[in-house]
Amino acid sequence: MFKRLTFLLILAALLLAACAPQPAPTETAAPEPTEKPLTKVRLPMGYIPNVQYAPYYVAAAKGYFAEAGFEVEFDYSFETDGIALVGANQLPFTLASGEQVLLARSQGLPVVYVLGWYQQYPISVMAKSSSKIQTPQDFRNRKIGLPGLFGANYIGLLAMLYANGVEESEVTLESIGFNQVEALATDQVDLVVGYAANEPVVLRWKGYDLTEWRTSEYVQLASNGIVTNETLLAENPEMIQAFIGAILKGIQDTIRDPDAAYEICFDYVENLKEADAMVQKQVLGTSIEMWRSERLGYSDPQAWENMQDVLLKMKLYSEPVDLDQAFSNQFVP
C-alpha cells in the first residue's frame, strides 16, 4: 500500500511539472557585423591642390575610395619624394610621370607604373602670335624659358625638338622658375614651356594671342599616372586593383559631368570659389582632353619606348631599362 501511494505521489508531481509554464528559451544574440577598418593611404600629389585633381576628389567625396577599403590623405608637400618612398616600400602609391619611373628604375628602384591617368603628355610650348614663330623648326636661335633643366617641362620640350630634327644646342634655354606667364608677357623670352592646362589658359585669359604647340602633337610619351612597387605587386595585387578601380570611377564621373566634379573641388581646393570660374573650368576641360581614351587608364607600350629613347638621347641614363618591368596594364579593365 505504501509503495502504491509513493508511486501516485511521484506521478502527480510529474504531471504538475509538465503542466507548469515553461520559461522561454534564451536566444543568443547574433554578433553585430563589424566593418573592416579602412586602410590609410598617403598619396603624394606632386603639386598644390588644383581642379586638375578632380577625379581624386570625386573618388573621395563619392565614397569610391572608402568602398574600396581606403582612407586617402592627399599629400601636396613638395618635400615628399613619392617615387623614392614607394620604391622603398614605405608608401604603396604615388602620382608620377613616365620619365620619373624610368629614371628611378635606372637607379635600381623597383617602381611599377600601373595606371595611365593622362593619355597625352601635358606639356606645351607657347609664343605670342606676333612673334611669327610657326613651327618647332622656327625655335632655332630663340630664347626659350622654362622652370629649369629638369622635370616634365624639360623632357617635353626636348622630345618635341628631337621629333622635329632640332638639337638642344640650337636653342637657348633660360631657367626662369615657375614664372612662364610673366616672362612671356613681358618679352623676357621668345617662348615658354608649361603645362597645357595651366599657362596657355592663363595667358589667353589675360588677353594674349598665342601660338601653342603640344608635345603630344609630335610624339606620344608615357605621362602622369599611378605608381606602385614590385613588392606590393607580388604580395597584394588585390589592393592595387581596388585602388585603381576607385580612381577610374573618379575619372569616369569627372569626364561625364565636369560641372558636378568642379563643385566637388570646392571642398578640396582652397579659395576656388573666389577664383575665376571660367578659367578654372577651362583648366579642368583641357585636362579632361588629355585623360580621354577608349580604355581609361591604359599605358601605350609605344609611348614608353618613345620616352626611353628621349631619356637615352638626353643621356639621363646610359643603358636601356626593361620596359616590361616598368609598367603594367593588368589592372586596367
Side-chain angles (χ1 to χ4, degrees), residues 85-92 105 109-112 228-240 325 331:
L85 291 171
V86 169
N89 201 27
Q90 294 180 27
L91 289 178
R105 290 197 68 90
L109 287 177
V111 293
V112 185
T228 187
N229 57 61
E230 292 179 0
T231 299
L232 195 64
L233 195 65
E235 296 179 357
N236 199 349
E238 296 83 6
M239 180 180 180
I240 300 172
Q325 302 300 315
F331 302 103

Side-chain angles (χ1 to χ4, degrees), residues 124-322:
S124 286
V125 181
M126 298 143 271
K128 289 180 179 178
S129 297
S130 58
S131 70
K132 308 300 182 185
I133 301 174
Q134 297 180 347
T135 70
Q137 285 87 356
D138 298 331
F139 295 178
R140 290 185 175 94
N141 303 315
R142 300 283 189 167
K143 188 182 293 186
I144 305 174
L146 69 169
L149 305 186
F150 58 84
N153 288 286
Y154 187 40
I155 301 293
L157 170 64
L158 290 194
M160 185 188 300
L161 294 178
Y162 295 157
N164 287 275
V166 181
E167 295 297 323
E168 182 176 354
S169 59
E170 296 180 274
V171 300
T172 301
L173 300 183
E174 292 278 341
S175 296
I176 58 173
F178 292 93
N179 298 306
Q180 298 100 313
V181 171
E182 179 185 356
L184 189 64
T186 57
D187 298 316
Q188 297 174 32
V189 291
D190 300 306
L191 306 104
V192 293
V193 187
Y195 274 75
N198 286 339
E199 286 80 12
V201 174
V202 173
L203 281 162
R204 289 189 174 105
W205 174 68
K206 288 178 174 288
Y208 293 99
D209 189 14
L210 294 181
T211 304
E212 178 184 357
W213 302 266
R214 292 188 183 179
T215 297
S216 58
E217 296 171 349
Y218 299 93
V219 59
Q220 181 74 349
L221 299 175
S223 189
N224 300 19
I226 294 292
V227 178
T228 187
N229 57 61
E230 292 179 0
T231 299
L232 195 64
L233 195 65
E235 296 179 357
N236 199 349
E238 296 83 6
M239 180 180 180
I240 300 172
Q241 187 73 72
F243 194 72
I244 285 176
I247 294 171
L248 286 173
K249 287 180 182 178
I251 297 173
Q252 289 170 338
D253 285 5
T254 304
I255 292 173
R256 288 171 184 160
D257 195 345
D259 289 335
Y262 184 76
E263 294 288 328
I264 287 174
C265 289
F266 288 151
D267 293 331
Y268 296 88
V269 182
E270 188 178 0
N271 299 324
L272 180 59
K273 290 184 178 180
E274 289 75 39
D276 187 285
M278 184 180 300
V279 173
Q280 295 301 315
K281 287 186 176 182
Q282 183 58 55
V283 168
L284 179 56
T286 303
S287 300
I288 287 174
E289 290 175 29
M290 293 182 280
W291 307 337
R292 292 183 185 277
S293 171
E294 291 182 2
R295 186 181 176 191
L296 291 179
Y298 177 71
S299 282
D300 181 2
Q302 186 61 55
W304 286 94
E305 290 184 22
N306 296 341
M307 177 62 83
Q308 174 142 273
D309 290 345
V310 170
L311 297 180
L312 289 170
K313 186 172 176 60
M314 293 174 69
K315 296 182 170 56
L316 292 181
Y317 56 86
S318 57
E319 295 295 328
V321 302
D322 185 350

Side-chain angles (χ1 to χ4, degrees), residues 54-74:
Y56 298 85
Y57 303 150
V58 169
K62 291 192 173 183
Y64 297 150
F65 281 132
E67 290 170 6
F70 302 102
E71 178 185 334
V72 178
E73 172 196 350
F74 302 122

Side-chain angles (χ1 to χ4, degrees), residues 31-50:
E32 291 289 331
T34 56
E35 292 186 3
K36 185 179 179 181
L38 299 179
T39 299
K40 293 185 178 181
V41 170
R42 177 161 63 97
L43 182 64
M45 307 299 281
Y47 189 54
I48 61 175
N50 192 278

